[in-house]
């Protein structure tokens, strides 16, 4: 407990701003700013030595005590957000002067004072208790396990495991907050898109993954630059997305309150985080379904929404007022397999519609495959994905200034004139 108390006192000093730390140390020691930086680094090192990286039933922490990962990269601590007296338990970067929280345990149930405790409960769960010893948050492992421990790793992952078996029972990386950290795994079915939700509705989607990038993200570089991988776990029969960088500097991806995903990189010179390489364009066309069914969004035009060729607004009055969500309807019915037949309108540099059906059909035969199916409304081809087909309404189509793929819209032959 004495070690945790020493670490907590160091934590209180190191959690103040860099400017305050510099001023206080210069006032006390009379040294220059470079020396202050060296002293601060040494304090971080002392703190990492004095604090444990593990919580057990007999080795718990009370506010403001902390645990720190083995190499001092992250700490689990009690903290408050700006302009709030509520207390939370979360994982933060340890060696920087700006409070940077990457995971929060009791986000929806804050402590009302500084009487909180983090410990292991009788059933083996990691829990946060208030001053009345009531559970305000739990890791929620259903099977009771004796003699467990929670360890904070240098990756930022907090792992609850059996003390004797070492088998992982729960991990914070499996229940992320708003930070996507290196080596964190996000599960997928191997064919999916990345989705951002807002109030239980789709807000943004990335387009399909082609093995190197999401084809609906114009600002995302290839896997060789961004480090993203889709990994198949043959033993578990699952897929997951993860990423890592050869440069081990402090950086991660953050989903902010506006629905934007940015890469954040620590700038030691500016003593602050720099937002790098935003994944989203941050324009109105990124909003899912902005132009409704069979509508196309182009952020370079005014208005941004237009109906695809061969379609017209479903509700012309709403459309003219700038409410495009009702979308567009077809002006001429498809002939399907009749003698006149149908054709395809080629649209270049497009974000393909939502949720395609995939096929292993080789390039050059996608159109034949689509024409054989009367419900097929469009197709596209990516060399790494193969043929993609859409039935029903085409939602969330966007025109890109760069990148994108060619999208072929099925129309009645009369729409092409002669």
């Amino acid at each position: 407990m004495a070690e945790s108390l020493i670490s907590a006192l160091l934590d209180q000093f190191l959690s103040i701003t860099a400017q305050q730390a510099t001023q206080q140390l210069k006032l006390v020691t009379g040294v220059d700013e470079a020396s202050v930086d060296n002293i601060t680094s040494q304090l971080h090192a002392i703190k990492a030595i004095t604090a444990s990286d593990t919580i057990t039933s007999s080795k718990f922490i009370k506010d403001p005590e902390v645990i720190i990962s083995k190499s001092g990269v992250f700490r689990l601590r009690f903290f408050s957000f700006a302009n709030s007296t509520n207390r939370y338990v979360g994982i933060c970067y340890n060696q920087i002067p700006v409070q940077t929280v990457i995971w929060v345990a009791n986000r929806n149930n804050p402590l009302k004072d500084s009487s909180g405790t983090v410990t292991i409960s009788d059933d083996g769960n990691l829990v946060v208790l208030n001053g009345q010893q009531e559970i305000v948050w739990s890791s929620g492992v259903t099977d009771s396990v004796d003699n467990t421990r929670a360890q904070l790793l240098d990756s930022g992952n907090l792992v609850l495991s059996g003390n004797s078996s070492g088998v992982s029972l729960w991990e914070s990386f499996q229940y992320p907050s708003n930070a996507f950290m290196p080596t964190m795994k996000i599960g997928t079915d191997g064919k999916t898109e990345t989705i951002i939700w807002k109030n239980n509705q789709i807000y943004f989607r990335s387009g399909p993954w082609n093995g190197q990038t999401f084809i609906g993200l114009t600002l995302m570089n290839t896997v060789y630059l961004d480090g993203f991988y889709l990994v198949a776990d043959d033993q578990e029969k699952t897929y997951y997305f993860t990423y890592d960088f050869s440069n081990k500097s402090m950086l991660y991806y953050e989903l902010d309150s506006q629905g934007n995903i940015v890469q954040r990189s620590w700038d030691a010179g500016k003593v602050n985080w720099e937002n790098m390489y935003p994944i989203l364009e941050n324009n109105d066309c990124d909003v899912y379904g902005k132009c409704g069914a069979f509508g196309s969004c182009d952020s370079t035009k005014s208005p941004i929404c237009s109906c695809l060729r061969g379609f017209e607004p479903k509700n012309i009055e709403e459309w003219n007022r700038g409410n495009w969500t009702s979308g567009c309807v077809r002006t001429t019915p498809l002939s399907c397999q009749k003698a006149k037949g149908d054709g395809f309108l080629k649209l270049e540099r497009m974000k393909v519609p939502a949720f395609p059906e995939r096929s292993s059909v080789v390039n050059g035969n996608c159109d034949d495959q689509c024409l054989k199916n009367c419900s097929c409304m469009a197709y596209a081809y990516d060399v790494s994905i193969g043929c993609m087909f859409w039935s029903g309404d085409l939602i969330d189509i966007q025109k890109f200034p760069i990148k994108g793929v060619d999208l072929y819209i099925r129309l009645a032959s009369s729409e092409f004139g002669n």
Side-chain angles (χ1 to χ4, degrees):
M1 295 294 289
E3 290 180 351
S4 293
L5 183 58
I6 293 171
S7 180
L9 293 172
L10 286 168
D11 183 63
Q12 288 181 337
F13 175 78
L14 292 170
S15 64
I16 64 178
T17 67
Q19 291 79 9
Q20 290 173 323
T22 299
Q23 290 173 358
Q24 289 185 24
L25 282 172
K26 288 174 73 176
L27 180 64
V28 172
T29 64
V31 300
D32 58 21
E33 192 164 326
S35 299
V36 167
D37 291 339
N38 184 48
I39 293 171
T40 303
S41 298
Q42 292 181 40
L43 287 174
H44 278 298
I46 294 170
K47 187 172 168 214
I49 293 171
T50 57
S52 169
D53 65 353
T54 303
I55 289 175
T56 66
S57 58
S58 60
K59 195 176 181 182
F60 50 85
I61 60 172
K62 292 184 176 181
D63 194 352
E65 297 168 348
V66 302
I67 63 170
I68 297 178
S69 65
K70 184 177 181 179
S71 298
V73 183
F74 292 97
R75 67 179 180 268
L76 178 74
R77 59 170 294 198
F78 295 84
F79 71 96
S80 296
F81 288 107
N83 303 318
S84 173
T85 58
N86 289 334
R87 300 292 282 171
Y88 299 87
V89 174
I91 299 170
C92 310
Y93 276 96
N94 180 51
Q95 297 175 340
I96 59 175
V98 177
Q99 177 173 286
T100 306
V101 182
I102 65 163
W103 180 82
V104 181
N106 58 323
R107 178 184 294 272
N108 298 320
N109 193 16
L111 295 158
K112 301 304 180 182
D113 53 37
S114 297
S115 62
T117 303
V118 183
T119 188
I120 300 294
S121 63
D122 292 340
D123 63 1
N125 273 293
L126 179 67
V127 294
V128 177
L129 306 177
N130 61 19
Q132 292 73 48
Q133 299 300 293
E134 298 169 329
I135 296 176
V136 299
W137 176 86
S138 169
S139 54
V141 176
T142 55
D143 296 330
S144 181
V145 179
D146 294 329
N147 198 24
T148 58
R149 64 202 292 266
Q151 183 179 22
L152 181 60
L153 307 181
D154 283 325
S155 62
N157 193 12
L158 181 63
V159 180
L160 178 69
S161 61
N163 212 5
S164 56
S165 67
V167 174
S168 173
L169 305 171
W170 173 94
E171 300 181 15
S172 62
F173 271 15
Q174 296 173 342
Y175 302 89
S177 294
N178 67 328
F180 185 20
M181 305 297 294
T183 73
M184 182 183 284
K185 301 173 182 179
I186 296 181
T188 174
D189 62 4
K191 300 179 181 179
T192 192
E193 310 179 23
T194 296
I195 304 294
I196 296 175
W197 296 82
K198 181 179 181 180
N199 298 328
N200 296 320
Q201 294 184 329
I202 297 176
Y203 174 75
F204 170 84
R205 64 180 187 90
S206 65
W209 175 259
N210 71 357
Q212 290 188 320
T213 187
F214 294 104
I215 64 174
L217 299 179
T218 61
L219 296 181
M220 184 178 185
N221 296 318
T222 67
V223 63
Y224 304 108
L225 296 179
D226 283 333
F228 280 83
Y229 296 89
L230 177 66
V231 180
D233 188 330
D234 295 331
Q235 184 175 355
E236 297 293 332
K237 305 299 182 184
T238 58
Y239 295 84
Y240 60 86
F241 278 111
T242 187
Y243 76 98
D244 202 358
F245 296 92
S246 57
N247 180 357
K248 297 300 182 181
S249 60
M250 288 186 290
L251 54 83
Y252 67 99
Y253 285 91
E254 181 182 84
L255 174 64
D256 66 21
S257 60
Q258 304 302 311
N260 299 316
I261 301 177
V262 295
Q263 184 189 105
R264 305 194 77 203
S265 178
W266 179 251
D267 189 322
K270 296 180 180 178
V271 197
N272 210 340
W273 291 97
E274 289 286 301
N275 290 343
M276 311 284 288
Y277 310 117
I279 287 181
L280 307 188
E281 294 271 10
N282 197 22
N283 63 55
D284 288 340
C285 286
D286 279 334
V287 178
Y288 178 79
K290 183 71 174 181
C291 300
F294 300 106
S296 177
C297 196
D298 186 342
S299 61
T300 66
K301 293 185 177 180
S302 182
I304 59 175
C305 287
S306 61
C307 290
L308 298 173
R309 179 175 164 183
F311 295 82
E312 62 185 8
K314 184 175 182 179
N315 187 321
I316 190 63
E317 292 182 359
E318 287 184 357
W319 190 272
N320 289 337
R321 290 199 302 266
N323 180 1
W324 305 295
T325 54
S326 59
C328 308
V329 294
R330 194 180 293 277
T331 56
T332 304
L334 296 174
S335 301
C336 192
Q337 296 177 349
K338 296 179 182 179
K340 291 184 178 179
D342 299 321
F344 292 98
L345 173 68
K346 179 181 178 181
L347 304 176
E348 298 178 340
R349 299 191 307 278
M350 303 299 291
K351 179 179 183 178
V352 299
F355 313 122
E357 300 172 11
R358 301 191 184 195
S359 170
S360 59
V361 175
V362 297
N363 189 20
N365 293 323
C366 301
D367 54 348
D368 292 337
Q369 188 81 356
C370 187
L371 286 172
K372 291 176 182 178
N373 181 357
C374 289
S375 64
C376 182
M377 298 291 104
Y379 77 87
Y381 178 82
D382 180 90
V383 65
S384 298
I385 296 174
C387 294
M388 295 171 280
F389 302 105
W390 288 266
S391 301
D393 292 345
L394 306 181
I395 303 291
D396 202 37
I397 300 173
Q398 185 177 346
K399 175 73 171 180
F400 287 147
I402 57 172
K403 298 187 178 182
V405 299
D406 293 338
L407 176 65
Y408 296 84
I409 307 296
R410 186 173 187 167
L411 298 176
S413 58
S414 60
E415 295 289 350
F416 299 97
N418 295 326

